[in-house]
Amino acid sequence: MRIRWTPVALAAASVLVIGAAVAQSQEPIQPIVPPQQVNLGMVELGKKLYFDPRLSKSGFISCNSCHNLSMGGTDNIPTSIGDRWQQGPINAPTVLNSSLNVAQFWDGRAADLKAQAGGPIANPGEMAFTHTLALGVLESIPAYQREFKQVFGKDKIDIDQVTTAIAEFEKTLVTPNSRFDQWLLGKKDALSADEQAGYKLFKESGCVGCHNGPAVGGNSFQKMGVVAPYQASSPAQGRVAVTGKDADRFNFKVPTLRNVEMTYPYFHDGAANTLTEAVDVMGRLQLGKKFTPDENAKIVSFLKTLTGDQPSFTLPILPPSSDKTPRPHPFK
Amino acid sequence: MRIRWTPVALAAASVLVIGAAVAQSQEPIQPIVPPQQVNLGMVELGKKLYFDPRLSKSGFISCNSCHNLSMGGTDNIPTSIGDRWQQGPINAPTVLNSSLNVAQFWDGRAADLKAQAGGPIANPGEMAFTHTLALGVLESIPAYQREFKQVFGKDKIDIDQVTTAIAEFEKTLVTPNSRFDQWLLGKKDALSADEQAGYKLFKESGCVGCHNGPAVGGNSFQKMGVVAPYQASSPAQGRVAVTGKDADRFNFKVPTLRNVEMTYPYFHDGAANTLTEAVDVMGRLQLGKKFTPDENAKIVSFLKTLTGDQPSFTLPILPPSSDKTPRPHPFK
């Protein structure tokens, strides 16, 4: 069917669009909007780097190991596995929609994706490499040399280029088109009655006080354990590590709830295995509210409508090492 | 341009095709032919399973961890990393073109891809799980339940279905269209003079005695160290472990040389870092021949023409675990 726009139809459509825009602006959650401007060459280079375990000492761990794009941009284990199977101190936050975060890491110690990207490479408990060694590997691979030169126009690869490219790829990792966004954008049958009831509860109970905006979170730091203290299984103390202010102890970045069905287990220590458990703990500790099983189930059903289109791209093929490439050291 | 086939043109084309077929049949290496028949639903399911780390005890290791399809179907380290960072006893062979192998594993202990696929899941040094536990995980995930039922038409998932699906996906992991295959198929300018000279040396020196057929290897077991013993850094003794015959000690499956530029390091112990080194060792130990630097370089340049089209597919998105899914145990 081809629609022919008469002046009357156009006017009617405008009213509809304006109507939807008004309704949407009244909601505390806004739809995910794909990035408006990306550098495609940089995205393709960043994608390769994101999947390349040669950025780790062992040659085994890549960004995708703990922020697995087959699994909601997480590793789905309570705390991550680092070089030589070291146990990480904190749950790996999802990389999906992370461009919308106010800052990166649970304690916000990196201002943006670019600042974050260099961290794990040089963290002895994660990829356990150094920036210098990583650059030595990349410089030794002719196809990388050419691709960096094509994208950045310089003769030498530096860490700034590496993190810029990874961040540019990560900008593309947004998940629009969830059923909830379709509903926000006017498709009123996109949510069931229970899911709509769950969203109403989510707003009226106060969850939305922290989980708002396009990412349904990610835009503020809040104390974990407002009404009652949270007994964490992790020693992490949150934002105090960055600000040095005692008031910031146990303040963590509010996680995004986008794709939350896929990003289990929950909380900074990964202690909650299910959404039911997470909603219950949040209600009691943050809001002083004990949700009934029915309320909890409705909120959970709403949360599952936040799963959007997952990033869809061809698995990158990495350029092979050359004879000059320093070999990884997995076991020493 | 649209070609119009006149009877004369058709006759001429037939002569060309027959001519190429005759020339090709005289070569000891044949072009890679993509699989003639695959079950697409099974391939898609097998692809998910291949990428799913929930088939491991830790929830961290998938088939793709050690047979990484971004890196020539290998892990590019001498011996693989298993559960809790255990060091594997042997170099991970490439999964690419493995459907062409006479048998699977270096010692041929699995008759085919299906028989191979169940091995690492239950190997305490690799994925460290059990088939029963893996099936429990899959059965607890509604989207997997539905997909298995769609593909196999049964109500219950069993290990036979799991390994059948993985093997079907692996059948698709062939790499046609290398420059060498283009040359075999009649594109005479596909190889440089040095590359053709390298192929001539490869044939005349005897390399082709073991490295022949479409996979340029993979079709026989041969002693590692024919003319002089090989000082392996691995304790593996090869095919004797399967047959019990002393004559099979240090007999290993001849590896495919397809994509060999990408599958470093080389040999069953991964001791050779470069093709130059591997060609030198093979010449001396298998053929009693010391290649000059020029001969070695020509053979290496030929070997690099064996890199074919790498598998190209969209990164699979894995169905999320349910509340009932047993959680992985990465640290206990």
Side-chain angles (χ1 to χ4, degrees), chain A residues 172-253:
Chain A
T172 69
L173 303 176
V174 294
T175 62
N177 207 31
S178 66
R179 286 199 291 120
F180 185 73
D181 283 6
Q182 293 176 29
W183 182 83
L184 279 179
L185 290 163
K187 187 168 186 283
K188 286 309 167 196
D189 63 350
L191 299 191
S192 72
D194 271 3
E195 289 161 352
Q196 293 189 43
Y199 176 48
K200 194 158 175 282
L201 272 166
F202 186 82
K203 287 195 286 190
E204 292 176 357
S205 309
C207 311
V208 87
C210 300
H211 292 286
N212 55 43
V216 200
N219 51 0
S220 69
F221 297 93
Q222 302 291 342
K223 182 157 184 173
M224 178 68 169
V226 172
V227 178
Y230 176 67
Q231 305 296 336
S233 57
S234 154
Q237 300 213 339
R239 191 139 175 82
V240 62
V242 178
T243 65
K245 293 183 191 162
D246 202 56
D248 282 332
R249 200 172 304 278
F250 306 122
N251 273 14
F252 292 91
K253 190 177 63 194

Coordinates of all heavy atoms in Angstrom, one line a residue, chain A residues 172-253:
Chain A
T172 N 28.0 2.9 19.0 CA 27.0 2.2 18.2 C 26.2 1.1 18.9 O 25.2 0.6 18.4 CB 27.6 1.5 17.0 OG1 28.4 0.4 17.4 CG2 28.5 2.5 16.2
L173 N 26.6 0.8 20.2 CA 26.0 -0.3 20.9 C 24.8 0.1 21.7 O 24.7 0.0 22.9 CB 27.1 -0.9 21.8 CG 28.3 -1.4 21.1 CD1 29.3 -2.0 22.1 CD2 28.0 -2.5 20.1
V174 N 23.9 0.8 21.0 CA 22.6 1.2 21.6 C 21.5 0.2 21.2 O 21.7 -0.5 20.2 CB 22.2 2.6 21.3 CG1 23.2 3.6 21.8 CG2 22.1 2.7 19.8
T175 N 20.5 0.1 22.0 CA 19.4 -0.9 21.7 C 18.1 -0.3 21.6 O 17.2 -0.3 22.5 CB 19.4 -1.9 22.9 OG1 19.1 -1.3 24.1 CG2 20.8 -2.6 23.0
P176 N 17.8 0.4 20.5 CA 16.5 1.0 20.3 C 15.4 -0.1 20.0 O 15.7 -1.3 20.0 CB 16.7 1.8 19.0 CG 17.8 1.1 18.2 CD 18.7 0.5 19.3
N177 N 14.2 0.4 19.9 CA 13.1 -0.4 19.4 C 12.6 -1.4 20.4 O 11.9 -2.4 20.0 CB 13.5 -1.0 18.1 CG 12.3 -1.3 17.2 OD1 11.3 -0.6 17.3 ND2 12.4 -2.4 16.5
S178 N 12.9 -1.3 21.7 CA 12.3 -2.2 22.7 C 10.8 -2.0 22.6 O 10.2 -1.0 22.1 CB 12.8 -1.8 24.1 OG 12.3 -0.6 24.4
R179 N 10.0 -3.0 23.1 CA 8.6 -2.9 23.2 C 8.2 -1.7 24.0 O 7.2 -1.0 23.6 CB 7.9 -4.1 23.7 CG 8.0 -5.3 22.7 CD 6.9 -6.4 23.0 NE 7.3 -7.1 24.3 CZ 6.5 -7.1 25.3 NH1 5.4 -6.5 25.4 NH2 6.9 -7.8 26.4
F180 N 8.9 -1.4 25.0 CA 8.6 -0.2 25.8 C 8.7 1.1 25.0 O 7.9 2.0 25.1 CB 9.4 -0.1 27.1 CG 9.0 1.0 28.0 CD1 7.8 0.9 28.7 CD2 9.8 2.2 28.1 CE1 7.4 2.0 29.5 CE2 9.4 3.3 28.9 CZ 8.2 3.2 29.6
D181 N 9.8 1.2 24.2 CA 10.0 2.4 23.4 C 8.9 2.5 22.3 O 8.4 3.6 22.0 CB 11.4 2.3 22.7 CG 12.5 2.7 23.7 OD1 12.1 2.9 24.9 OD2 13.6 2.9 23.3
Q182 N 8.5 1.3 21.8 CA 7.4 1.3 20.8 C 6.2 1.9 21.4 O 5.4 2.7 20.8 CB 7.1 -0.1 20.3 CG 8.3 -0.6 19.4 CD 8.0 -2.1 19.0 OE1 6.9 -2.5 18.8 NE2 9.1 -2.8 18.8
W183 N 5.9 1.5 22.7 CA 4.8 2.0 23.4 C 4.9 3.5 23.6 O 4.0 4.3 23.4 CB 4.7 1.3 24.7 CG 3.5 1.6 25.6 CD1 2.2 1.2 25.5 CD2 3.5 2.5 26.7 NE1 1.4 1.7 26.4 CE2 2.2 2.6 27.2 CE3 4.5 3.3 27.3 CZ2 1.8 3.4 28.3 CZ3 4.1 4.1 28.4 CH2 2.8 4.1 28.9
L184 N 6.1 3.9 24.1 CA 6.3 5.4 24.3 C 6.1 6.2 23.0 O 5.6 7.3 23.0 CB 7.8 5.6 24.7 CG 8.2 5.4 26.2 CD1 9.7 5.7 26.3 CD2 7.4 6.3 27.1
L185 N 6.4 5.5 21.9 CA 6.3 6.2 20.6 C 4.9 6.1 20.0 O 4.7 6.5 18.8 CB 7.4 5.7 19.6 CG 8.8 6.2 20.0 CD1 9.9 5.3 19.3 CD2 9.0 7.7 19.7
G186 N 4.0 5.5 20.7 CA 2.6 5.6 20.3 C 1.9 4.3 20.0 O 0.7 4.2 19.7
K187 N 2.7 3.2 20.0 CA 2.1 1.9 19.7 C 1.5 1.3 21.0 O 2.1 0.6 21.7 CB 3.2 0.9 19.1 CG 2.6 -0.4 18.6 CD 3.8 -1.2 17.8 CE 3.3 -2.4 17.2 NZ 3.1 -3.6 18.1
K188 N 0.2 1.7 21.2 CA -0.4 1.4 22.5 C -0.6 0.0 22.8 O -0.8 -0.4 24.0 CB -1.7 2.3 22.6 CG -1.4 3.8 22.8 CD -0.4 4.0 23.9 CE 0.1 5.5 24.0 NZ 1.4 5.6 24.8
D189 N -0.6 -0.9 21.8 CA -0.8 -2.3 22.1 C 0.6 -3.0 22.2 O 0.6 -4.3 22.3 CB -1.6 -3.0 21.0 CG -1.0 -3.0 19.6 OD1 0.0 -2.2 19.5 OD2 -1.5 -3.6 18.7
A190 N 1.7 -2.3 22.3 CA 3.0 -2.9 22.4 C 3.2 -3.5 23.8 O 4.0 -4.4 24.0 CB 4.1 -1.9 22.1
L191 N 2.4 -3.0 24.8 CA 2.6 -3.5 26.2 C 1.2 -4.1 26.6 O 0.2 -3.6 26.3 CB 2.9 -2.4 27.2 CG 4.2 -1.6 27.0 CD1 4.5 -0.7 28.2 CD2 5.4 -2.5 26.7
S192 N 1.3 -5.2 27.3 CA 0.1 -5.9 27.9 C -0.4 -5.1 29.1 O 0.3 -4.1 29.6 CB 0.5 -7.3 28.4 OG 1.3 -7.2 29.5
A193 N -1.5 -5.4 29.5 CA -2.1 -4.7 30.7 C -1.2 -4.8 31.9 O -0.9 -3.9 32.7 CB -3.5 -5.2 31.0
D194 N -0.7 -6.0 32.1 CA 0.2 -6.3 33.3 C 1.5 -5.4 33.2 O 2.0 -4.9 34.2 CB 0.6 -7.7 33.4 CG -0.4 -8.5 34.2 OD1 -1.4 -7.9 34.7 OD2 -0.2 -9.7 34.4
E195 N 2.0 -5.4 32.0 CA 3.3 -4.6 31.8 C 3.0 -3.1 32.0 O 3.9 -2.4 32.6 CB 3.8 -4.9 30.3 CG 4.4 -6.3 30.2 CD 4.5 -6.7 28.7 OE1 4.0 -6.0 27.8 OE2 5.0 -7.8 28.5
Q196 N 1.9 -2.6 31.6 CA 1.6 -1.2 31.8 C 1.3 -1.0 33.3 O 1.8 0.0 33.8 CB 0.3 -0.8 31.0 CG 0.6 -0.8 29.5 CD -0.6 -0.2 28.7 OE1 -1.1 0.8 29.1 NE2 -0.9 -0.9 27.6
A197 N 0.7 -2.0 34.0 CA 0.5 -1.8 35.4 C 1.9 -1.8 36.1 O 2.1 -1.1 37.1 CB -0.4 -3.0 35.9
G198 N 2.8 -2.7 35.6 CA 4.1 -2.7 36.2 C 4.8 -1.4 36.0 O 5.5 -0.9 37.0
Y199 N 4.7 -0.7 34.9 CA 5.3 0.6 34.7 C 4.7 1.6 35.6 O 5.4 2.5 36.2 CB 5.1 1.0 33.2 CG 5.7 2.4 32.9 CD1 6.9 2.8 33.3 CD2 4.9 3.3 32.1 CE1 7.4 4.0 33.0 CE2 5.4 4.5 31.9 CZ 6.7 4.9 32.3 OH 7.2 6.2 32.0
K200 N 3.4 1.5 35.8 CA 2.7 2.5 36.7 C 3.3 2.3 38.1 O 3.6 3.3 38.8 CB 1.2 2.2 36.6 CG 0.3 3.2 37.2 CD -1.1 3.1 36.7 CE -2.1 4.1 37.3 NZ -2.5 3.6 38.7
L201 N 3.4 1.1 38.5 CA 4.0 0.8 39.9 C 5.4 1.3 39.9 O 5.8 1.8 41.0 CB 4.0 -0.7 40.1 CG 2.7 -1.3 40.8 CD1 2.8 -2.9 40.6 CD2 2.7 -0.9 42.3
F202 N 6.2 1.1 38.9 CA 7.6 1.5 38.8 C 7.7 3.0 39.0 O 8.6 3.5 39.7 CB 8.1 1.1 37.4 CG 9.6 1.3 37.3 CD1 10.5 0.4 37.7 CD2 10.1 2.5 36.6 CE1 11.9 0.6 37.5 CE2 11.4 2.7 36.4 CZ 12.4 1.7 36.9
K203 N 6.7 3.7 38.5 CA 6.7 5.2 38.6 C 6.2 5.6 40.0 O 6.8 6.4 40.7 CB 5.8 5.9 37.5 CG 6.4 5.8 36.1 CD 5.7 6.8 35.2 CE 4.3 6.2 34.8 NZ 3.7 7.0 33.7
E204 N 5.1 5.0 40.4 CA 4.4 5.5 41.6 C 5.2 5.1 42.9 O 5.1 5.7 43.9 CB 3.0 4.9 41.7 CG 2.1 5.6 40.6 CD 0.7 5.0 40.5 OE1 0.4 4.0 41.3 OE2 -0.1 5.5 39.7
S205 N 6.0 4.0 42.8 CA 6.7 3.5 44.0 C 8.0 4.3 44.2 O 8.6 4.2 45.2 CB 7.0 2.0 43.8 OG 5.9 1.3 43.5
G206 N 8.4 5.0 43.1 CA 9.6 5.8 43.3 C 10.8 5.2 42.6 O 11.9 5.9 42.6
C207 N 10.8 4.1 42.0 CA 11.9 3.5 41.3 C 12.4 4.5 40.3 O 13.6 4.6 40.0 CB 11.5 2.2 40.5 SG 10.6 1.0 41.5
V208 N 11.5 5.2 39.6 CA 11.8 6.1 38.6 C 12.6 7.3 39.0 O 13.2 8.1 38.2 CB 10.5 6.5 37.9 CG1 9.8 7.7 38.5 CG2 10.7 6.7 36.4
G209 N 12.6 7.5 40.4 CA 13.4 8.6 40.9 C 14.9 8.5 40.5 O 15.5 9.5 40.2
C210 N 15.4 7.3 40.4 CA 16.8 7.1 40.0 C 16.8 6.5 38.6 O 17.8 6.8 37.8 CB 17.5 6.2 41.0 SG 17.6 6.8 42.7
H211 N 15.9 5.6 38.3 CA 16.0 4.9 37.0 C 15.1 5.7 36.0 O 13.9 5.4 35.8 CB 15.5 3.5 37.1 CG 16.4 2.6 37.9 ND1 17.7 2.2 37.4 CD2 16.4 2.1 39.1 CE1 18.3 1.5 38.3 NE2 17.6 1.4 39.4
N212 N 15.6 6.7 35.4 CA 14.9 7.5 34.5 C 15.8 7.9 33.3 O 16.9 7.5 33.2 CB 14.3 8.8 35.2 CG 15.5 9.6 35.9 OD1 16.5 9.8 35.3 ND2 15.2 10.0 37.1
G213 N 15.2 8.7 32.4 CA 16.0 9.1 31.2 C 16.0 8.0 30.1 O 15.4 6.9 30.4
P214 N 16.6 8.2 29.0 CA 16.6 7.2 28.0 C 17.2 5.9 28.4 O 16.8 4.8 27.9 CB 17.5 7.8 26.9 CG 17.8 9.2 27.3 CD 17.4 9.5 28.7
A215 N 18.2 5.9 29.3 CA 18.8 4.6 29.7 C 18.2 4.0 30.9 O 18.5 2.9 31.3 CB 20.3 4.8 30.0
V216 N 17.1 4.6 31.4 CA 16.4 4.1 32.6 C 17.5 3.9 33.7 O 17.6 2.9 34.3 CB 15.6 2.9 32.3 CG1 14.6 2.6 33.4 CG2 15.0 2.9 31.0
G217 N 18.3 5.0 33.9 CA 19.4 4.9 34.9 C 20.6 5.4 34.2 O 20.6 6.0 33.1
G218 N 21.8 5.2 34.9 CA 23.1 5.6 34.3 C 23.4 7.1 34.4 O 24.5 7.5 34.0
N219 N 22.5 7.8 34.9 CA 22.7 9.3 34.9 C 22.8 10.0 36.3 O 22.8 11.2 36.4 CB 21.5 10.0 34.1 CG 20.1 9.5 34.6 OD1 20.1 8.7 35.5 ND2 19.1 10.1 34.1
S220 N 23.0 9.1 37.3 CA 23.3 9.7 38.6 C 24.0 8.7 39.5 O 24.0 7.5 39.2 CB 22.0 10.2 39.3 OG 21.2 9.1 39.7
F221 N 24.6 9.2 40.6 CA 25.2 8.3 41.6 C 24.2 8.3 42.8 O 23.7 9.3 43.2 CB 26.5 8.8 42.1 CG 27.5 8.8 40.9 CD1 27.7 9.9 40.1 CD2 28.3 7.7 40.6 CE1 28.6 9.9 39.1 CE2 29.2 7.7 39.6 CZ 29.4 8.8 38.8
Q222 N 24.0 7.1 43.4 CA 23.1 7.0 44.5 C 23.6 6.0 45.5 O 24.4 5.1 45.2 CB 21.7 6.5 44.0 CG 21.0 7.4 43.0 CD 20.6 8.8 43.5 OE1 20.4 9.0 44.7 NE2 20.4 9.8 42.6
K223 N 23.2 6.2 46.7 CA 23.6 5.3 47.8 C 23.0 4.0 47.6 O 21.7 3.9 47.5 CB 23.3 5.9 49.1 CG 23.8 5.1 50.3 CD 24.0 5.9 51.6 CE 24.6 5.0 52.6 NZ 24.9 5.7 53.8
M224 N 23.7 2.9 47.7 CA 23.2 1.5 47.7 C 22.9 1.2 49.2 O 23.8 1.1 50.0 CB 24.2 0.6 47.2 CG 23.8 -0.9 47.2 SD 22.5 -1.2 46.0 CE 22.5 -3.0 46.0
G225 N 21.6 1.2 49.5 CA 21.2 1.0 50.9 C 20.7 2.4 51.5 O 21.4 2.9 52.4
V226 N 19.6 2.9 51.1 CA 19.1 4.2 51.6 C 18.4 4.0 52.9 O 18.7 4.7 53.9 CB 18.2 4.9 50.5 CG1 17.6 6.1 51.1 CG2 19.0 5.2 49.3
V227 N 17.4 3.1 52.9 CA 16.5 2.9 54.0 C 17.2 2.0 55.0 O 17.1 2.1 56.2 CB 15.2 2.3 53.6 CG1 14.3 2.1 54.8 CG2 14.5 3.3 52.6
A228 N 17.9 0.9 54.5 CA 18.6 0.0 55.3 C 19.9 -0.3 54.7 O 20.0 -0.3 53.4 CB 17.7 -1.3 55.5
P229 N 20.9 -0.7 55.4 CA 22.2 -0.9 54.8 C 22.2 -2.2 53.9 O 21.5 -3.1 54.2 CB 23.2 -1.1 56.0 CG 22.3 -1.4 57.1 CD 21.0 -0.8 56.9
Y230 N 23.0 -2.2 52.8 CA 23.1 -3.3 51.9 C 24.3 -4.1 52.4 O 25.4 -3.6 52.5 CB 23.3 -2.8 50.5 CG 23.5 -4.0 49.5 CD1 22.4 -4.9 49.3 CD2 24.7 -4.1 48.8 CE1 22.6 -5.9 48.4 CE2 24.9 -5.2 47.9 CZ 23.8 -6.1 47.7 OH 24.0 -7.1 46.8
Q231 N 24.1 -5.4 52.6 CA 25.2 -6.3 53.0 C 25.9 -6.8 51.7 O 25.5 -7.9 51.2 CB 24.7 -7.5 53.8 CG 23.9 -7.1 55.1 CD 24.8 -6.3 56.1 OE1 26.0 -6.5 56.1 NE2 24.1 -5.5 56.9
A232 N 26.9 -6.1 51.2 CA 27.5 -6.5 49.9 C 28.5 -7.6 50.1 O 29.1 -7.8 51.1 CB 28.2 -5.3 49.4
S233 N 28.6 -8.4 49.1 CA 29.6 -9.5 49.1 C 30.9 -9.0 48.4 O 31.8 -9.7 48.2 CB 29.1 -10.7 48.3 OG 28.7 -10.4 47.0
S234 N 30.9 -7.7 48.0 CA 32.0 -7.1 47.4 C 32.6 -6.0 48.3 O 31.8 -5.4 49.0 CB 31.6 -6.4 46.1 OG 32.5 -5.4 45.7
P235 N 33.9 -5.9 48.4 CA 34.5 -4.8 49.2 C 34.4 -3.4 48.6 O 34.8 -2.5 49.3 CB 36.0 -5.3 49.3 CG 36.2 -6.0 48.1 CD 34.9 -6.6 47.6
A236 N 33.9 -3.3 47.4 CA 33.9 -2.0 46.7 C 33.0 -1.0 47.5 O 32.0 -1.3 48.1 CB 33.3 -2.1 45.3
Q237 N 33.6 0.2 47.7 CA 32.9 1.2 48.5 C 32.3 2.4 47.6 O 31.9 3.4 48.1 CB 33.8 1.8 49.5 CG 34.3 0.7 50.5 CD 34.5 1.2 51.9 OE1 34.7 2.4 52.1 NE2 34.5 0.3 52.9
G238 N 32.5 2.2 46.3 CA 31.8 3.2 45.4 C 32.5 4.5 45.2 O 33.8 4.5 45.2
R239 N 31.8 5.5 45.1 CA 32.3 6.8 44.6 C 33.3 7.5 45.5 O 34.0 8.3 45.1 CB 31.1 7.7 44.3 CG 31.5 8.9 43.5 CD 30.5 9.3 42.5 NE 30.9 10.6 41.9 CZ 31.9 10.7 40.9 NH1 32.5 9.6 40.4 NH2 32.2 11.9 40.4
V240 N 33.3 7.1 46.8 CA 34.3 7.6 47.7 C 35.7 7.4 47.2 O 36.6 8.3 47.5 CB 34.1 7.0 49.1 CG1 34.4 5.5 49.1 CG2 35.0 7.7 50.2
A241 N 35.9 6.3 46.5 CA 37.2 6.1 45.9 C 37.7 7.1 44.9 O 38.9 7.3 44.7 CB 37.3 4.7 45.2
V242 N 36.7 7.8 44.4 CA 37.0 8.9 43.4 C 37.0 10.2 44.0 O 38.0 11.0 43.8 CB 36.0 8.9 42.2 CG1 36.2 10.0 41.2 CG2 35.9 7.5 41.6
T243 N 36.1 10.5 44.9 CA 35.9 11.9 45.4 C 36.7 12.1 46.8 O 37.0 13.2 47.2 CB 34.5 12.3 45.7 OG1 33.9 11.4 46.7 CG2 33.6 12.1 44.4
G244 N 36.9 10.9 47.4 CA 37.5 11.0 48.8 C 36.5 11.5 49.8 O 36.9 11.6 51.0
K245 N 35.3 11.8 49.5 CA 34.3 12.3 50.4 C 33.6 11.1 51.1 O 33.0 10.2 50.4 CB 33.3 13.2 49.7 CG 33.8 14.4 49.1 CD 32.7 15.3 48.5 CE 33.3 16.4 47.7 NZ 32.3 17.0 46.8
D246 N 33.5 11.2 52.4 CA 32.9 10.1 53.2 C 31.4 10.0 52.8 O 30.8 8.9 52.8 CB 33.0 10.4 54.7 CG 32.9 9.1 55.5 OD1 33.6 8.1 55.2 OD2 31.9 9.0 56.3
A247 N 30.8 11.1 52.4 CA 29.4 11.1 52.0 C 29.2 10.2 50.8 O 28.0 9.8 50.5 CB 28.9 12.5 51.7
D248 N 30.2 10.0 50.0 CA 30.1 9.2 48.8 C 30.4 7.7 49.0 O 30.4 6.9 48.1 CB 31.1 9.7 47.7 CG 30.6 11.0 47.1 OD1 29.3 11.1 47.0 OD2 31.4 11.8 46.6
R249 N 30.5 7.3 50.3 CA 30.8 5.9 50.6 C 29.5 5.1 50.2 O 28.4 5.5 50.6 CB 31.1 5.7 52.0 CG 31.8 4.4 52.3 CD 32.4 4.3 53.8 NE 33.2 5.4 54.1 CZ 34.6 5.4 53.8 NH1 35.1 4.4 53.2 NH2 35.3 6.5 54.2
F250 N 29.6 4.0 49.5 CA 28.5 3.2 49.0 C 27.6 3.9 48.0 O 26.5 3.4 47.7 CB 27.7 2.6 50.1 CG 28.6 1.8 51.1 CD1 28.6 2.2 52.5 CD2 29.4 0.8 50.7 CE1 29.4 1.5 53.4 CE2 30.2 0.1 51.6 CZ 30.2 0.5 52.9
N251 N 28.1 5.0 47.5 CA 27.4 5.6 46.3 C 27.9 5.0 45.1 O 29.1 5.0 44.8 CB 27.7 7.1 46.3 CG 26.7 7.9 47.1 OD1 26.0 7.3 47.9 ND2 26.6 9.2 46.9
F252 N 27.0 4.5 44.3 CA 27.4 3.8 43.0 C 26.6 4.5 41.9 O 25.5 5.0 42.1 CB 27.1 2.3 43.0 CG 28.0 1.6 44.0 CD1 27.6 1.4 45.3 CD2 29.2 1.1 43.6 CE1 28.4 0.7 46.2 CE2 30.0 0.4 44.5 CZ 29.6 0.2 45.8
K253 N 27.1 4.4 40.7 CA 26.3 4.8 39.6 C 25.1 3.9 39.4 O 25.2 2.7 39.6 CB 27.1 4.7 38.3 CG 26.5 5.4 37.1 CD 27.4 5.3 35.9 CE 27.6 3.9 35.5 NZ 28.7 3.7 34.5

